[in-house]
């Protein structure tokens, strides 16, 4: 929404929190420029929660009378409902959501509203709001990733015996179990959840009670505020408590990693659903058509997720650049932390959710994959390893196999269809048992090394993944 200046008034009419020190009113355009209400109104619930905890602590410590605290808390609870229902709409002229709520409270209960700010600055207030928001959004992202992991285990189970191509350099490399492939993504998203879990330790530290940055002369009980807000720990240093935006940077960097994982996955889906590959089908419900070419079926959802990765990286660079070189402690620049935070959170959570739904509606084209993997040159490594088992040094085996591959290409014959005579013309070590090794199943099932693609290994990985689903 673009805010418009109303009328031609020079200065603002509303009394700003800090106005009394100034002789002239704040310029309306400057207020419009500096107002964050349009963005930080998303934090109204966190803000009210933080204020209720602070006021409760103030009354328990006899810093404000119990009766007045009760009035404030009741007023705040009403305001929360008013904002939720739309009965009260925070206005840009109030500078930020904290002030909008305070001004509304003043309208409701008079000057007592001002007591809500005893021993608290908007600096520790906004830091508290942001941490409460982060706790919620980390949980949401974590749940979305948990659902994706669950689906990946199910996919791995469904397709554990389906053979697909594994690629390096986007060249067919070696056949693998499709279950193995899905579980590789499972591992990535599992690490993303571990990162979120680790971040939570730092988010779970209450900054409330740091005041502007140096603390307060009032006998605040910051530990009590911490308990009331369900934080696990309390800040150590009030300067750091109001200045720390590491948690936002960490969160957006985790979002960036999640998006990077998703966009790689999307790239596979986009390529594999094209008619050139034709390895899988994304259901109609997640595909779009072309307005001009009737035959087209596009993987737009996967493309959009891949595209949103760019904006999340942009959010990361945005916040890193805002924080670079900022002198301690609070600076107004830091108000600009919320647009990238909200944007990254929304883009990432919605991407994980829609991706999961789309992936649930994709099917591997098993028939075609079986045909292609059965006749492909990607079995060449099996030939080389066959020779190694016959005691030939790997380098020699590689060289001989290279010549066989070149012959197969020239004669347009799949490797399993070359005669034994032909094989023996390259090395006398070849025997009839070579053909057993030239089946993709055999190639897969003789990979006995740890974490490899053999069906037995994939079964073990599925079991381990199942255990990791609900830590
Ligand atoms: N709207 C401000 C923000 O989000 C609140 C803190 C204002 N503090 C100040 N010293 N002006 O950063």
């Amino acid at each position: 929404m673009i805010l418009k200046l109303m009328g031609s008034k020079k200065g603002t009419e509303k009394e700003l929190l800090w106005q009394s020190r100034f002789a002239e009113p704040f310029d309306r355009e400057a207020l419009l420029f500096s107002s964050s209400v349009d963005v930080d109104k998303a934090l109204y619930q966190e803000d009210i929660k933080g204020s209720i905890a602070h006021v409760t602590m103030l009354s328990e410590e006899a810093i404000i009378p119990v009766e007045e605290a009760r009035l404030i808390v009741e007023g705040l609870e009403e305001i929360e409902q008013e904002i939720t229902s739309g009965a009260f709409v925070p206005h840009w002229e109030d500078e930020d959501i904290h002030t909008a709520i305070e001004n509304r409270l003043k309208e409701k209960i008079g000057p007592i509203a001002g007591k809500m700010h005893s021993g608290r600055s908007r600096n520790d207030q906004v830091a508290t709001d942001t941490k409460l928001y982060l706790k919620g959004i980390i949980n949401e992202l974590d749940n979305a990733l948990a659902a994706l992991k669950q689906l990946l285990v199910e996919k791995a189970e469904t397709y554990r015996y389906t053979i697909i191509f594994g690629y390096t350099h986007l060249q067919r490399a070696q056949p693998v179990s499709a279950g193995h492939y899905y579980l590789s993504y499972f591992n990535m998203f599992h690490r993303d959840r571990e990162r979120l879990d680790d971040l939570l330790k730092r988010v779970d530290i209450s900054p409330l009670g740091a005041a502007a940055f140096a603390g307060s002369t009032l006998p605040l009980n910051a530990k009590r505020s911490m308990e009331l807000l369900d934080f696990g720990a309390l800040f150590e240093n009030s300067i750091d408590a109001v200045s720390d935006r590491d948690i936002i940077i960490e969160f957006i960097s985790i979002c960036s990693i999640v998006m990077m994982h998703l966009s790689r996955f999307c790239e596979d889906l986009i390529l594999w659903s094209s008619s050139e590959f034709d390895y899988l089908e994304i259901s109609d419900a997640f595909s779009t058509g072309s307005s001009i070419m009737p035959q087209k079926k596009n993987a737009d959802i996967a493309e959009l997720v891949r595209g949103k990765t760019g904006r999340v990286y942009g959010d990361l660079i945005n916040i890193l650049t805002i924080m670079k070189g900022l002198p301690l402690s609070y600076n107004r620049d830091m108000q600009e932390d919320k647009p990238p935070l909200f944007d990254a959170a929304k883009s990432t959570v919605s991407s994980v959710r829609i991706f999961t739904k789309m992936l649930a509606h994709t099917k591997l084209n098993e028939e075609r994959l079986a045909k292609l993997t059965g006749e492909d040159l990607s079995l060449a490594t099996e030939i080389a390893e066959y020779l190694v088992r016959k005691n030939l040094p790997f380098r020699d085996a590689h060289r001989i196999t290279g010549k066989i591959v070149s012959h197969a290409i020239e004669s347009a014959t799949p490797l399993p269809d070359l005669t034994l005579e032909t094989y023996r013309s390259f090395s006398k070590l070849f025997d009839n048992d070579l053909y057993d090794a030239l089946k993709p199943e055999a190639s897969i099932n003789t990979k006995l090394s740890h974490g490899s693609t053999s069906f037995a290994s994939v079964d073990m990985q599925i079991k381990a993944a199942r255990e990791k689903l609900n830590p």
Side-chain angles (χ1 to χ4, degrees):
M1 182 179 74
I2 295 171
L3 295 167
K4 282 215 182 74
L5 278 177
M6 314 292 281
S8 58
K9 282 169 277 178
K10 210 172 131 257
T12 181
E13 283 173 351
K14 280 216 177 184
E15 164 96 351
L16 294 161
L17 291 176
W18 37 266
Q19 194 66 56
S20 62
R21 178 230 177 278
F22 295 92
E24 266 187 86
F26 194 41
D27 181 85
R28 272 177 74 74
E29 200 171 340
L31 178 60
L32 177 61
F33 179 77
S34 51
S35 172
S36 58
V37 176
D38 209 34
V39 172
D40 60 21
K41 64 181 179 211
L43 291 175
Y44 76 95
Q45 282 168 315
E46 287 81 0
D47 197 67
I48 287 174
K49 198 172 164 197
S51 289
I52 290 177
H54 183 66
V55 167
T56 306
M57 179 280 289
L58 291 177
S59 76
E60 286 176 5
E61 299 301 320
I63 299 170
I64 64 172
V66 175
E67 188 45 33
E68 291 180 351
R70 198 181 55 78
L71 276 177
I72 295 174
V73 170
E74 279 173 11
L76 287 170
E77 284 168 351
E78 278 172 30
I79 294 171
E80 182 171 358
Q81 283 172 14
E82 287 173 2
I83 299 180
T84 305
S85 72
F88 168 57
V89 181
H91 195 265
W92 69 266
E93 276 183 280
D94 283 318
E95 196 175 10
D96 56 25
I97 187 65
H98 328 294
T99 314
I101 291 171
E102 189 178 336
N103 287 343
R104 177 75 186 130
L105 189 63
K106 225 174 275 166
E107 278 170 20
K108 290 170 91 75
I109 66 169
I112 290 173
K115 297 206 176 182
M116 167 169 87
H117 260 288
S118 315
R120 185 176 62 154
S121 150
R122 283 181 297 163
N123 297 353
D124 58 341
Q125 184 176 4
V126 75
T128 306
D129 293 3
T130 304
K131 284 193 152 176
L132 291 174
Y133 169 81
L134 273 169
K135 277 174 107 175
I137 198 70
I138 286 173
N139 191 38
E140 258 186 62
L141 181 54
D142 190 58
N143 286 340
L145 288 169
L148 176 52
K149 276 170 58 191
Q150 168 80 38
L151 175 67
L152 286 168
V153 176
E154 285 163 17
K155 286 269 170 197
E157 273 170 349
T158 307
Y159 292 117
R160 64 172 97 182
Y161 303 130
T162 304
I163 298 172
I164 60 172
F165 292 108
Y167 288 83
T168 59
H169 314 272
L170 198 56
Q171 306 287 338
R172 287 179 183 173
Q174 287 179 299
V176 291
S177 148
H180 198 209
Y181 167 82
Y182 286 116
L183 289 174
S184 68
Y185 279 110
F186 176 96
N187 277 274
M188 296 179 220
F189 297 117
H190 180 73
R191 288 196 296 275
D192 292 334
R193 290 185 72 198
E194 285 179 335
R195 280 183 260 273
L196 286 173
D197 205 42
D198 188 62
L199 170 58
L200 209 48
K201 283 188 254 164
R202 289 175 289 286
V203 171
D204 200 23
I205 299 172
S206 173
L208 193 54
F213 72 97
S216 169
T217 56
L218 298 171
L220 303 176
N221 184 348
K223 190 153 176 289
R224 179 67 182 135
S225 311
M226 166 200 96
E227 285 164 7
L228 287 166
L229 288 172
D230 248 345
F231 278 113
L234 183 58
F235 68 93
E236 292 285 338
N237 176 300
S238 60
I239 301 176
D240 180 48
V242 301
S243 315
D244 171 28
R245 296 294 183 273
D246 296 3
I247 45 169
I248 298 182
I249 295 170
E250 284 187 66
F251 177 72
I252 304 180
S253 83
I254 295 172
C255 289
S256 300
I257 297 173
V258 170
M259 293 303 293
M260 178 269 292
H261 290 153
L262 281 183
S263 78
R264 294 184 75 177
F265 210 158
C266 285
E267 178 72 6
D268 282 347
L269 297 184
I270 293 162
L271 284 173
W272 293 8
S273 64
S274 71
S275 43
E276 277 73 10
F277 283 78
D278 196 18
Y279 295 171
L280 63 80
E281 175 113 25
I282 303 175
S283 87
D284 289 358
F286 293 87
S287 308
T288 61
S290 157
S291 50
I292 184 161
M293 297 163 282
Q295 85 285 7
K296 297 230 18 220
K297 181 173 168 183
N298 303 327
D300 283 29
I301 298 299
E303 289 173 15
L304 280 168
V305 170
R306 190 177 58 182
K308 278 183 197 290
T309 307
R311 75 190 262 178
V312 175
Y313 291 1
D315 293 327
L316 179 61
I317 296 302
N318 185 344
I319 183 68
L320 280 168
T321 312
I322 290 167
M323 295 309 292
K324 178 189 175 296
L326 276 194
L328 283 176
S329 55
Y330 178 86
N331 300 270
R332 192 66 180 273
D333 317 43
M334 286 149 85
Q335 177 173 291
E336 291 293 322
D337 61 357
K338 280 158 222 79
L341 171 59
F342 294 163
D343 185 72
K346 183 166 173 254
S347 305
T348 309
V349 171
S350 63
S351 294
V352 175
R353 285 197 185 133
I354 198 69
F355 180 86
T356 305
K357 222 167 158 197
M358 174 183 63
L359 185 66
H361 289 80
T362 61
K363 272 199 320 261
L364 290 182
N365 191 346
E366 292 180 86
E367 232 170 85
R368 178 170 156 84
L369 283 164
K371 183 177 173 302
L372 292 177
T373 52
E375 60 192 30
D376 191 71
L377 294 170
S378 63
L379 294 166
T381 316
E382 314 320 317
I383 299 176
E385 288 191 352
Y386 174 93
L387 292 172
V388 169
R389 282 197 298 276
K390 304 255 157 155
N391 242 339
L392 201 69
F394 182 75
R395 288 291 161 235
D396 296 330
H398 186 284
R399 188 173 36 77
I400 291 170
T401 309
K403 289 187 175 153
I404 296 171
V405 165
S406 139
H407 174 80
I409 293 170
E410 271 165 31
S411 61
T413 315
L415 289 172
D417 295 349
L418 293 176
T419 63
L420 184 60
E421 214 185 342
T422 311
Y423 277 109
R424 287 180 68 87
S425 70
F426 290 97
S427 166
K428 291 286 170 241
L429 291 171
F430 287 118
D431 244 317
N432 246 324
D433 58 348
L434 167 70
Y435 293 98
D436 295 335
L438 284 185
K439 295 193 180 87
E441 293 80 8
S443 149
I444 284 182
N445 281 323
T446 45
K447 300 238 164 34
L448 297 170
S449 58
H450 174 80
S452 71
T453 199
S454 69
F455 294 149
S457 164
V458 170
D459 280 349
M460 268 162 58
Q461 291 174 52
I462 289 174
K463 225 172 131 241
R466 280 224 162 271
E467 275 158 29
K468 282 183 179 171
L469 276 180
N470 300 306

